[in-house]
């Protein structure tokens, strides 16, 4: 038996391990992108439909009650100091005071959680990444650059073009993880080079697994199972409804006081 045969067999085993790890990495990447994209938006919509709408109503009511309280306090304080009362100025100051306090933080965080629209900056970043990935993949898969493409490579190129034309960044990221120069030049790599690629892949898989785990334990995925529990959903809505009634009564009381102060001053 040739002395090089065992190493050749080992290299074959290494190549098999590399492609298995590559497949696992691509699957994780697809899962992560789905969670951050369609999965997240659909679950946020479900959360808002089942309990989020009422919670946001409660938070807004609390904000209004706190604002009325501050306006009353500011007006009384000005009256004691014999200062002229400007209601527009008092309202603006009450808003500014709330913005500096923790009570407003709850409101902003919740609204931001449910805001799935992208700003111009985020869109620009997505477009830039989309173009960058497309150029990288074109160097590997474009027929004009590579004359001897296999049938698999041609199919991948068709998938890349489709994702790019549709602006599907998540799919293009997944394809980029599956399609790179190492995949098509692995036969020319030395034994140590393949070992290094395997080591780097394992590190990437470990990091990506941790990232997926973090995503699943954060909003809105931490509510995924609870939202399927009708009893839990009803209990949450009943509790929030009760708190809304309390805040609404407080709001009416403070509005009446403010109206009285407006008449006096």
């Amino acid at each position: 038996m040739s002395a090089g045969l065992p190493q050749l067999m080992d290299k074959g085993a290494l190549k098999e391990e590399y492609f298995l790890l590559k497949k696992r990495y691509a699957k994780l990447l697809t899962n992560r992108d789905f969670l951050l994209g369609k999965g997240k938006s659909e679950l946020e919509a479900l959360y808002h439909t089942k309990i989020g709408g009422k919670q946001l109503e409660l938070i807004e009511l609390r904000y209004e009650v706190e604002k009325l309280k501050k306006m009353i306090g500011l007006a009384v304080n000005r009256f004691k100091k014999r200062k002229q009362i400007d209601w527009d100025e008092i309202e603006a100051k009450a808003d500014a005071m709330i913005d500096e306090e923790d009570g407003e933080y709850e409101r902003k965080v919740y609204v931001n959680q449910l805001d799935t629209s992208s700003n111009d900056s985020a869109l620009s970043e997505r477009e830039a990444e989309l173009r960058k990935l497309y150029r990288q993949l074109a160097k590997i898969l474009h027929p004009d650059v590579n004359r001897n493409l296999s049938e698999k490579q041609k199919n991948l190129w068709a998938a890349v073009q489709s994702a790019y034309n549709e602006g599907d960044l998540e799919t293009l990221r997944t394809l980029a993880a599956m399609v790179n120069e190492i995949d098509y030049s692995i036969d020319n790599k030395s034994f140590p080079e393949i070992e290094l690629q395997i080591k780097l892949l394992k590190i990437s898989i470990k990091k990506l697994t941790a990232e997926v785990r973090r995503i699943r334990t954060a909003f809105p995925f931490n509510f995924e199972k609870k939202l399927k529990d009708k009893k839990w959903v009803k209990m949450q809505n009943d509790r929030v409804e009760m708190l809304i009634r309390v805040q609404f009564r407080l709001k009416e009381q403070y509005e009446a006081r403010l109206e009285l102060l407006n008449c006096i001053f």
Side-chain angles (χ1 to χ4, degrees), residues 34 83 90 145 180 212 225 236 238:
F34 172 79
K83 291 184 178 181
I90 283 177
V145 179
N180 56 48
V212 169
K225 290 183 179 178
Q236 294 301 310
D238 289 347

Side-chain angles (χ1 to χ4, degrees), residues 24-30 32 203-213:
R24 183 180 170 192
Y25 177 77
K27 186 176 180 180
L28 277 168
L29 193 66
T30 303
R32 184 202 65 179
I203 292 171
S204 298
I205 287 171
K206 185 177 180 180
K207 289 181 179 179
L208 198 53
T209 301
E211 185 181 354
V212 169
R213 190 179 299 116

Side-chain angles (χ1 to χ4, degrees), residues 165-181:
N165 291 332
E166 293 174 11
D168 189 348
L169 179 58
E170 286 69 30
T171 297
L172 208 60
R173 283 172 178 167
T174 302
L175 290 168
M178 298 170 62
V179 183
N180 56 48
E181 290 178 271

Side-chain angles (χ1 to χ4, degrees), residues 22-244:
K22 197 71 175 177
K23 185 177 180 180
R24 183 180 170 192
Y25 177 77
K27 186 176 180 180
L28 277 168
L29 193 66
T30 303
N31 186 27
R32 184 202 65 179
D33 290 342
F34 172 79
L35 290 173
L36 292 176
K38 187 177 180 182
K40 185 172 184 286
S41 61
E42 287 181 353
L43 196 53
E44 283 175 339
L46 182 63
Y47 178 90
H48 186 68
T49 300
K50 290 198 171 186
I51 62 174
K54 288 294 180 183
Q55 288 184 341
L56 185 56
E57 183 181 347
L58 174 60
I59 292 168
E60 295 287 359
L61 265 173
R62 284 174 173 166
Y63 177 85
E64 292 175 28
V65 168
E66 187 62 27
K67 178 180 174 179
L68 289 168
K69 284 171 62 178
K70 291 190 182 304
M71 287 181 68
I72 291 169
L74 288 168
V76 171
N77 186 52
R78 290 212 170 193
F79 176 75
K80 288 179 179 179
K81 293 180 178 180
R82 300 181 183 276
K83 291 184 178 181
Q84 184 178 358
I85 293 177
D86 183 332
W87 289 105
D88 289 336
E89 181 185 343
I90 283 177
E91 184 176 2
K93 189 169 183 179
D95 277 323
M97 290 170 68
I98 294 176
D99 283 342
E100 296 174 357
E101 296 177 358
D102 291 339
E104 174 65 355
Y105 176 77
E106 177 188 22
R107 179 172 174 266
K108 284 180 178 177
V109 167
Y110 183 79
V111 172
N112 288 340
Q113 283 178 333
L114 296 179
D115 182 11
T116 56
S117 61
S118 300
N119 56 33
D120 292 339
S121 175
L123 283 173
S124 298
E125 289 177 5
R126 284 181 64 86
E127 289 170 0
E129 185 179 354
L130 196 74
R131 289 194 295 270
K132 182 180 178 181
L133 285 174
Y134 181 78
R135 286 196 297 268
Q136 289 175 349
L137 292 168
K139 291 178 183 179
I140 303 166
L141 296 173
H142 199 292
D144 292 343
V145 179
N146 302 280
R147 301 288 183 181
N148 300 314
L149 292 175
S150 66
E151 198 61 34
K152 180 180 179 181
Q153 291 169 331
K154 290 177 182 178
N155 291 337
L156 285 169
W157 175 239
V160 167
Q161 288 181 299
S162 176
Y164 179 72
N165 291 332
E166 293 174 11
D168 189 348
L169 179 58
E170 286 69 30
T171 297
L172 208 60
R173 283 172 178 167
T174 302
L175 290 168
M178 298 170 62
V179 183
N180 56 48
E181 290 178 271
I182 183 66
D183 282 338
Y184 303 115
S185 61
I186 194 74
D187 289 329
N188 300 322
K189 297 294 181 181
S190 67
F191 194 89
E193 285 176 326
I194 299 175
E195 284 186 318
L196 176 60
Q197 291 300 322
I198 287 174
K199 183 179 180 180
L200 293 174
L201 261 179
K202 287 180 177 179
I203 292 171
S204 298
I205 287 171
K206 185 177 180 180
K207 289 181 179 179
L208 198 53
T209 301
E211 185 181 354
V212 169
R213 190 179 299 116
R214 284 195 300 272
I215 292 169
R216 285 201 169 278
T217 55
F219 180 86
F221 298 99
N222 53 335
F223 284 96
E224 188 169 9
K225 290 183 179 178
K226 291 178 179 178
L227 290 172
K228 296 175 182 177
D229 185 341
K230 292 182 180 179
K231 186 180 291 185
W232 181 86
V233 170
K234 185 179 184 306
M235 183 176 68
Q236 294 301 310
N237 282 322
D238 289 347
R239 182 181 67 84
V240 174
E241 284 280 7
M242 180 190 70
L243 294 173
I244 285 174

